[in-house]
């Protein structure tokens, strides 16, 4: 077997991975965006390196993308998921679905966040390695603690695949997954090595990169997947474009957040310039000492003059207005994922309003449920217990208008501390949810005078 390119990402991933770096940086926050440097904060043509470094190191990110992503990924899990039609043996595994203590609910929420952020991720349904002396009998396997479990495969850990269409559905014929292993390096140190898991129907192999440079990758493990004739991997999608192909549904919001990052940097820079007036001296001799302060006087030649030049402030107001408009655009763009999509319907479709008015997030969640069902079925196939069960997630989060959805996002942003209470009131006024005659400042004073809401004050006694 030629394994020289075992760790090389497939050309199939080239298109999918274009948006990954941006999402990683926005999720990583201000520090990650600063580290990305010129990729998302270009250097001005006449800007010297020191000035750019100062501007980059003082830039701060408005975390609209990260917060919206968290809200959207959390919507289907605002209530506990349910699993129906699963046997007792399967039900017993749901509270520790990955052998790391994660319930299926918690595990699935991490999957949803990854799928919405990057468009694609997956689950490998693995099985405990068989100890020596244990036969291929389920009773013996249970006694030895053998069981199926789910392995979360992140977007960048999928290196490549091959598939064929069988009876109308795609079937993986090869899959390469990236893994890492931490091994001892000397008496106290450690080092991390890359590994690649190669899966083919009925068998698997594990390869490890060499510890020395220019050496060859080597196979360190492998075997047959007894009782599992197919590759037990299930893809999960954001916006599905095809088999093993998905796009981040919030990609437009991500680019708007980058635009805000750049515009905010410009605004901070012009504010700094405006706050530091420039002293202009006319008529003084070149090189003459000049002291300016409250207790000093300046002597100028006849006809000389001295004054400060200050910024007019017009550009500051324009920049602030542009930032406000961008923030509104980001809220609206994020809200579109929750908005029901009416559109034309056939006579058959018109009998099902729920189908005709799905939000994009609802469609994603329904595909997500199908993928979770496939995972449970593969677990059941490992255990030979028949039906794996049907997963049901909370789906009553659609809204009829952008104003309705964006109002929810405004409240979420205020609760997260991204905007003030006064700004939240003004935004709800813009959406027609509060009277335009209401004075936000006066309303907040009345709220403070009313005191804490009932039930919000705990027992202060000691």
């Amino acid at each position: 077997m030629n394994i020289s390119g075992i760790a090389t990402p497939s050309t199939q991933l080239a298109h999918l991975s274009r948006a990954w770096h941006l999402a990683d940086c926005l999720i990583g926050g201000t520090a990650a965006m600063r580290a990305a440097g010129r990729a998302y904060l270009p250097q001005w043509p006449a800007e010297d390196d020191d000035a750019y470094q100062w501007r980059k190191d003082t830039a701060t990110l408005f975390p609209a993308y990260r917060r919206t992503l968290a809200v959207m990924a959390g919507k289907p899990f605002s209530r506990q998921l349910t699993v129906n039609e699963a046997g007792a043996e399967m039900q017993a595994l749901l509270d520790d679905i990955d052998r790391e203590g994660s319930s299926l609910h918690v595990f699935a929420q991490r999957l949803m966040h990854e799928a919405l952020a990057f468009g694609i991720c997956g689950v490998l349904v693995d099985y405990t390695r068989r100890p020596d002396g244990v036969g291929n009998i389920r009773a013996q396997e249970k006694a030895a603690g053998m069981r199926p479990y789910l392995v979360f495969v992140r977007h960048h850990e999928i290196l490549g695949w091959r598939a064929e269409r069988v009876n109308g559905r795609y079937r993986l014929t090869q899959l390469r997954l990236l893994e890492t292993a931490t091994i001892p390096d000397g008496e106290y140190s450690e080092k991390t090595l890359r590994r690649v898991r190669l899966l083919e129907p009925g068998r698997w192999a594990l390869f490890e990169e060499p510890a020395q440079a220019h050496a060859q990758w080597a196979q360190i493990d492998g075997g047959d997947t007894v009782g599992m004739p197919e590759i037990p991997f299930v893809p999960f999608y954001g916006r599905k474009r095809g088999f093993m192909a998905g796009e981040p549904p919030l990609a437009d919001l991500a680019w708007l957040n980058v635009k805000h990052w750049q515009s905010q940097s410009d605004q901070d820079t012009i504010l700094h310039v405006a706050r530091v007036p420039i002293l202009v001296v006319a008529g003084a001799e070149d090189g003459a000492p000049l002291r300016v302060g409250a207790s000093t006087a300046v002597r100028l030649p006849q006809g000389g003059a001295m004054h400060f030049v200050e910024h007019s402030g017009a550009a500051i107001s324009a920049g602030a207005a542009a930032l406000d408009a961008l923030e509104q655009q980001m809220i609206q763009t994020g809200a579109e994922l929750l908005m029901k999509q009416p559109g034309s319907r056939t006579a058959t479709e018109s009998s099902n309003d729920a189908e005709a008015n799905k939000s994009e997030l609802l469609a994603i969640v329904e595909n997500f449920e199908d993928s979770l069902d496939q995972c449970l079925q593969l677990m059941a196939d490992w255990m030979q217990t028949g039906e794996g069960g049907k997963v049901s997630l909370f789906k009553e989060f659609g809204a009829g208008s952008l104003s309705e959805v964006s109002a929810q996002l405004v409240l979420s942003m205020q609760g997260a501390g991204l905007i003030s209470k006064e700004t939240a009131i003004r935004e709800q006024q813009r959406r027609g949810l509060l009277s335009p005659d209401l004075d936000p400042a006066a309303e907040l004073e009345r709220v403070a005078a009313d005191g804490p809401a009932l039930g919000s004050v705990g027992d202060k006694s000691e």
Side-chain angles (χ1 to χ4, degrees), residues 28-42:
T30 295
M33 290 295 286
R34 289 178 180 176
R38 293 172 179 82
Y40 305 119
L41 190 66

Side-chain angles (χ1 to χ4, degrees), residues 213-236:
H214 308 299
Q216 295 294 318
W217 283 68
Q219 182 174 343
I220 60 172
D221 205 350
D224 297 329
T225 52
V226 179
M228 179 58 65
E230 61 181 295
I231 296 176
F233 178 84
V234 180
F236 285 74

Side-chain angles (χ1 to χ4, degrees), residues 417-438:
L418 298 181
I419 58 176
S420 68
K421 293 180 179 178
E422 182 172 344
T423 298
I425 291 175
R426 294 189 187 281
E427 290 304 318
Q428 303 297 35
Q429 286 177 305
R430 284 192 341 104
R431 289 162 174 78
L433 300 178
L434 295 175
S435 169
D437 298 328
L438 185 147

Side-chain angles (χ1 to χ4, degrees), residues 383-395:
M383 297 185 295
Q384 301 177 7
T385 57
E387 291 294 326
K390 301 295 181 182
V391 176
S392 180
L393 299 175
F394 175 69
K395 296 188 282 291

Side-chain angles (χ1 to χ4, degrees), residues 36-115:
R38 293 172 179 82
Y40 305 119
L41 190 66
Q43 187 172 0
W44 298 331
E47 186 178 24
D48 63 45
D49 291 342
D50 289 341
Y52 173 78
Q53 187 69 29
W54 174 87
R55 185 165 64 91
K56 178 175 70 70
D57 290 345
T58 56
T60 53
L61 178 69
F62 181 74
Y65 174 84
R66 181 171 62 183
R67 178 57 186 166
T68 303
L69 174 62
V71 169
M72 295 302 170
K75 287 285 184 183
F77 300 92
S78 54
R79 296 182 187 175
Q80 186 70 29
L81 65 75
T82 59
V83 179
N84 301 312
E85 303 176 25
E89 193 169 354
M90 177 64 72
Q91 290 284 353
L93 301 179
L94 299 181
D95 288 336
D96 182 15
I97 203 70
D98 59 356
R99 291 204 312 165
E100 296 180 3
S102 301
S103 68
L104 179 61
H105 183 91
V106 172
F107 185 89
Q109 187 166 6
R110 292 204 304 266
L111 275 171
M112 177 64 75
H113 189 278
E114 183 83 1

Side-chain angles (χ1 to χ4, degrees), residues 281-340:
V281 180
E285 296 180 5
D286 290 341
L290 181 66
R291 296 178 61 191
V292 179
S295 59
T296 60
V298 179
R299 177 177 294 176
L300 294 174
Q302 187 174 2
M306 176 187 295
H307 62 277
F308 282 99
V309 176
E310 295 188 76
H311 200 284
S312 68
I316 296 175
S317 299
L323 284 172
D324 288 342
L326 259 178
E327 289 166 13
Q328 289 308 313
Q329 194 175 357
M330 286 190 288
I331 290 174
Q332 300 284 13
T333 301
E336 289 175 356
L337 203 60
L338 287 176
M339 193 179 75
K340 294 177 181 177

Side-chain angles (χ1 to χ4, degrees), residues 136-211:
N136 187 24
I137 301 173
R138 183 57 190 152
Q140 295 181 9
E141 293 176 346
K142 288 179 65 176
M146 296 177 63
R147 51 156 290 187
Y149 59 96
L150 305 186
V151 179
F152 180 18
V153 179
R154 296 199 61 200
H155 62 287
H156 63 274
E157 295 171 336
I158 302 173
L159 291 176
W161 66 91
R162 292 177 181 173
E164 63 182 8
R165 201 174 184 93
V166 179
N167 296 327
R169 66 181 288 264
Y170 281 101
R171 173 178 178 268
L172 286 169
T173 58
Q174 186 187 87
L175 179 67
R176 289 180 294 125
L177 302 177
L178 178 66
E179 301 177 3
T180 57
T182 301
I183 62 174
D185 184 23
E187 190 169 359
Y188 304 109
S189 302
E190 295 176 334
K191 62 181 177 182
T192 301
L193 295 178
R194 292 184 302 159
R195 289 177 176 175
V196 173
R197 185 173 296 270
L198 175 65
L199 297 120
E200 295 175 324
R203 60 182 182 178
W204 64 278
L206 187 64
F207 301 86
E208 186 175 85
E209 71 175 335

